[in-house]
């Protein structure tokens, strides 16, 4: 079993290059199936989630050519099936983007229905509502969700909840429908905008992405393109909180500071100095951190994907902080892990009260999910003593070379793949 062993106590110092946004990449990879021409995607993060989605697409006949680690060419002219197996959906939930992409292009898609996951029940009723509004028939058969239509028509749709996934999925299908579709109460996340821009670069007519209302005039055909994915705001924010928690001085490079505003404001409230450049942000953390209150919200609010990284940082502030998780009902499990490192935390439903302590103590902890895993690494880097983070396959789903990047900032972190390697590393790093 792969784990990280971490020796805490070193402030992280230096510069770190941020990769392409994983969540944008997933939508863009899926949308590239909507043309028979070749699509070139640049700044693609080399993480497990994107690689599994590419595999799922190869499974239905898509040709995937790796140009280099972060560039891929995709050609979907030889697709022979519109059915994505459960195995892929089990590994990566966002395979469901192929529902919207295949429905738009082929008027038919069959994808295993995603279940709940560790952070919550995650229904997809809004995706289905959108497909139906476009005139598709949606049925469930032996655990598969089937969407089909002779013709996709335009619609005026109001989403009942702000959903990133539903916005992207329905936008993809509508991009190849008849007439003009209006979608209201949509998600405004930077990756929604990036996927809209990508589709537009293929000839789609999507306006308003990044606002509450998206207008889509359907086109019959999309063409090939070359497109570079935006930087990953969550990867960047993770390193920014790592700087804060370890009392370090870290500059994240290749970012869009505007996308990081909610994170930047919280870091300033904690007492960090934050300096913004054109495509970089520097976080300097000195002395005691101050407590605060934070509530996760859809963009432009504070991202739920940054809540665990913030939570571990608040656990070593001087004072009591309140964290309200309003997006996913089950996203506080990592707090039980940091309790084992000495954190003083109380959870009541969707509210966590975190009483800051002087320092965390190293312990054995479990990654639980992608962002919780990254947060526990931050906890380990800030803690006194040695921390072992188990189940790091979750972290590899969304962070490229995470341990390497942390080491380049002075963090002491090593990946070990056996009990013996763990013992050896313990002797080496203490
Ligand atoms: C995406 C991100 C994920 C991030 C989340 C919120 C990707 C691949 N994943 O997930 O990292 O944490 O946005 O920013 O981009 N909901 C419904 N019905 C639906 C769909 C969603 O009730 O049909 C609810 C969800 O349970 C949740 C809320 O809406 O409470 C937001 O979920 P959503 O924005 O859809 O998250 P994902 O797209 O799954």
């Amino acid at each position: 079993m792969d784990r990280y062993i971490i020796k805490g106590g070193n402030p992280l110092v230096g510069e770190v290059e941020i990769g392409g946004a994983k969540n944008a990449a997933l939508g863009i990879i899926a949308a590239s199936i909507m043309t028979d021409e070749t699509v070139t995607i640049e700044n693609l993060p080399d993480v497990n989630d994107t690689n599994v989605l590419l595999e799922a697409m190869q499974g239905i006949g898509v040709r995937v050519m790796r140009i280099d680690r972060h560039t891929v060419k995709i050609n979907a002219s030889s697709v022979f099936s519109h059915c994505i197996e459960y195995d892929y959906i089990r590994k990566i939930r966002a395979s469901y983007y192929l529902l919207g992409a295949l429905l738009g292009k082929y008027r038919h898609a069959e994808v295993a229905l995603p279940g709940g996951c560790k952070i919550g029940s995650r229904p997809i009723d809004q995706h289905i509502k959108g497909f139906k509004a476009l005139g598709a028939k949606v049925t469930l058969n032996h655990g598969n969700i089937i969407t089909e239509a002779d013709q996709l028509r335009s619609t005026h749709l109001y989403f009942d909840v702000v959903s990133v996934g539903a916005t992207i999925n329905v936008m993809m299908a509508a991009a190849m429908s008849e007439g003009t579709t209006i979608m209201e109460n949509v998600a405004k996340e930077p990756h929604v905008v990036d996927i809209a821009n990508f589709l537009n670069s293929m000839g789609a007519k999507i306006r308003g992405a990044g606002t509450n209302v998206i207008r889509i005039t359907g086109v019959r055909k999309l063409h090939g393109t070359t497109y570079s994915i935006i930087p990953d705001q969550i990867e960047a924010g993770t390193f920014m909180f790592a700087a804060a928690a370890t009392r370090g001085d870290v500059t994240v490079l290749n970012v869009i500071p505007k996308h990081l505003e909610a994170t930047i404001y919280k870091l300033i409230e904690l007492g960090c100095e934050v300096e913004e450049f054109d495509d970089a942000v520097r976080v300097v953390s000195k002395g005691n951190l101050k407590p605060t209150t934070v509530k996760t919200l859809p963009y432009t609010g504070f991202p739920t994907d940054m809540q665990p990284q913030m939570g571990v940082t608040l656990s070593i502030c001087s004072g009591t902080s309140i964290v309200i998780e309003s997006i996913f009902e089950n996203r506080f499990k990592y707090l039980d892990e940091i309790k084992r490192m000495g954190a003083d935390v109380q959870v009541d439903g969707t509210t966590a009260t975190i009483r800051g302590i002087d320092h965390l103590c190293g312990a054995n902890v479990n990654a639980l999910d992608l962002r919780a895993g990254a947060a526990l690494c931050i906890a380990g880097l800030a803690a006194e003593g040695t921390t072992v983070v188990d189940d790091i396959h979750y972290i590899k789903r969304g962070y490229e070379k995470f341990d390497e990047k942390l080491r380049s900032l002075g963090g002491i972190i090593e990946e070990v793949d056996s009990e013996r390697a763990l013992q050896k590393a313990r002797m080496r790093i203490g």
Side-chain angles (χ1 to χ4, degrees):
M1 191 184 290
D2 291 350
R3 300 158 178 170
Y4 287 141
I5 176 167
I6 300 168
K7 170 88 179 291
N10 271 10
L12 297 187
V13 177
E15 296 183 335
V16 62
E17 190 82 35
I18 300 306
K22 179 205 61 128
N23 286 347
L26 293 170
I28 286 171
I29 290 170
S32 62
I33 212 167
M34 297 176 73
T35 175
D36 288 339
E37 296 177 19
T38 298
V39 164
T40 305
I41 304 172
E42 298 169 346
N43 203 31
L44 183 74
D46 183 17
V47 293
N48 286 357
D49 271 11
T50 51
N51 291 332
V52 171
L53 183 57
L54 286 168
E55 253 177 58
M57 299 203 352
Q58 282 174 304
I60 58 168
V62 175
R63 287 198 300 275
V64 175
M65 293 146 277
R66 291 267 178 194
I67 307 304
D68 59 40
R69 185 167 188 153
H70 298 125
T71 311
V72 73
K73 278 186 189 288
I74 295 176
N75 184 290
S77 58
S78 46
V79 164
F80 56 77
S81 162
H82 308 149
C83 180
I84 306 296
E85 303 293 334
Y86 176 64
D87 203 32
Y88 291 112
I89 266 285
R90 192 175 55 80
K91 286 190 194 143
I92 177 220
R93 219 186 129 70
S95 311
Y96 67 26
Y97 284 145
L98 290 166
L99 268 176
L102 288 166
L103 177 66
K105 171 86 194 300
Y106 297 103
R107 305 291 192 251
H108 174 235
E110 197 168 329
V111 174
L113 184 66
C117 72
K118 290 191 173 162
I119 61 172
S121 62
R122 304 182 86 170
I124 62 159
D125 56 302
Q126 298 302 306
H127 305 233
I128 293 171
K129 174 178 171 169
F131 296 144
K132 283 187 174 167
L134 290 171
K137 199 169 120 204
V138 182
T139 48
L140 190 66
N141 189 17
H142 298 290
N144 283 358
I145 176 157
I146 303 164
T147 57
E148 50 201 332
D150 293 332
Q151 203 189 0
L152 290 175
R153 57 166 190 246
S154 62
T155 187
H156 192 141
L157 175 68
Y158 188 94
F159 286 111
D160 303 310
V161 289
V162 178
S163 161
V164 172
T167 302
I168 293 169
N169 231 339
V170 180
M171 179 171 78
M172 290 196 288
M176 294 189 82
S177 64
E178 309 279 330
T180 298
T181 289
I182 300 173
M183 305 199 306
E184 301 212 38
N185 199 27
V186 293
K188 297 182 282 193
E189 266 69 1
H191 56 289
V192 172
V193 179
D194 207 35
I195 295 160
N197 287 342
F198 170 73
L199 285 163
N200 285 342
S201 78
M202 293 166 82
K205 292 191 175 139
I206 302 171
R207 300 289 172 264
T211 73
N212 291 325
V213 185
I214 297 181
R215 286 181 173 73
I216 305 159
T217 301
V219 296
R220 281 179 191 228
K221 212 169 161 213
L222 294 172
H223 54 72
T225 185
T226 295
Y227 193 84
S228 183
I229 294 173
I230 51 164
D232 196 313
Q233 52 149 340
I234 306 297
E235 186 194 11
T238 301
F239 283 101
M240 289 159 71
F241 274 110
T246 62
R247 312 296 196 263
D249 177 350
V250 171
T251 302
V252 288
L253 304 174
N254 180 35
V255 297
I256 299 173
K258 176 97 190 118
H259 295 169
L260 290 161
E261 265 174 7
T263 300
I264 289 172
Y265 288 130
K266 282 296 157 196
L267 285 164
I268 292 171
E269 278 176 31
L270 295 187
C272 295
E273 285 167 29
V274 182
E275 214 178 333
E276 288 183 41
F277 304 93
D278 286 348
D279 59 357
V281 176
R282 179 180 178 200
V283 178
V284 184
S285 168
K286 288 183 213 146
N288 283 346
L289 293 173
K290 290 183 258 177
T292 189
T293 296
V294 63
K295 181 176 183 179
T296 62
L297 288 168
Y299 190 79
T300 53
F302 189 83
T304 174
D305 283 356
M306 205 70 85
Q307 186 261 104
Q309 300 87 317
M310 172 119 193
V312 297
T313 309
L314 293 177
S315 76
I316 44 172
C317 283
S318 46
T320 300
S321 299
I322 304 290
V323 180
I324 302 161
E325 172 56 60
S326 79
I327 310 284
F328 293 117
E329 68 274 16
N330 217 2
R331 214 161 191 181
F332 280 145
K333 288 254 190 286
Y334 73 94
L335 291 174
D336 288 333
E337 299 297 299
I338 58 165
K339 270 189 195 171
R340 305 177 56 241
M341 300 175 77
D344 182 355
V345 177
Q346 203 182 339
V347 176
D348 183 5
T350 56
T351 302
T353 304
I354 304 178
R355 287 177 207 85
I357 56 169
D358 186 53
H359 62 269
L360 295 167
C361 294
N364 285 10
V365 291
N366 205 305
L368 301 171
D369 67 60
L370 168 58
R371 305 303 172 188
L376 291 167
C377 291
I378 297 176
L381 289 162
E384 266 184 15
T386 305
T387 295
V388 177
V389 182
D390 245 310
D391 279 345
I392 60 168
H393 58 92
Y394 285 116
I395 300 172
K396 292 179 178 180
R397 285 185 41 198
Y399 290 90
E400 183 177 333
K401 298 184 175 174
F402 192 50
D403 53 335
E404 213 176 299
K405 289 186 182 183
L406 289 168
R407 274 197 298 278
S408 77
L409 296 171
I412 302 177
I413 173 168
E414 281 185 26
E415 181 174 341
V416 289
D417 59 4
S418 67
E419 207 53 48
R420 193 148 172 264
L422 178 65
Q423 296 317 330
K424 273 190 174 171
R426 259 191 210 285
M427 301 220 291
R428 202 169 42 251
I429 67 177

